[in-house]
Amino acid sequence: PVVAEPDPRTMLWLSAVTVGVALGASLGCARALLGGQASETVAARAVVGAIAVAAAAVLCLGVFGVAGAIAFAAAGLCAALTARA
């Protein structure tokens, strides 16, 4: 059930921020997985990478606000593009 009914503008901003953070997180976690696949400790590297990505998302949103979602998505894209498979 919906507890609050936000106005359409708030829902649009919330959706945009959510999509930006989700995109950046998925790209950052993909980079962490691709970077650690040749290692014997791939599970530990994947977990540490996921935690680092989540911390970066919180930092970007905390420092830059809504623009942090764009910055985080851009950082995730740059990280994914630097992965060597």
Side-chain angles (χ1 to χ4, degrees), residues 3-73:
V3 176
E5 294 188 25
D7 61 341
R9 184 177 175 183
T10 302
M11 285 301 293
L12 181 65
W13 276 110
L14 183 60
S15 299
V17 170
T18 302
V19 167
V21 172
L23 181 63
S26 63
L27 291 171
C29 286
R31 171 64 173 97
L33 288 172
L34 289 173
Q37 71 184 14
S39 174
E40 293 179 4
T41 58
V42 65
R45 286 179 182 245
V47 169
V48 170
I51 292 171
V53 167
V58 171
L59 184 66
C60 281
L61 288 173
V63 172
F64 301 117
V66 174
I70 298 169
F72 184 67

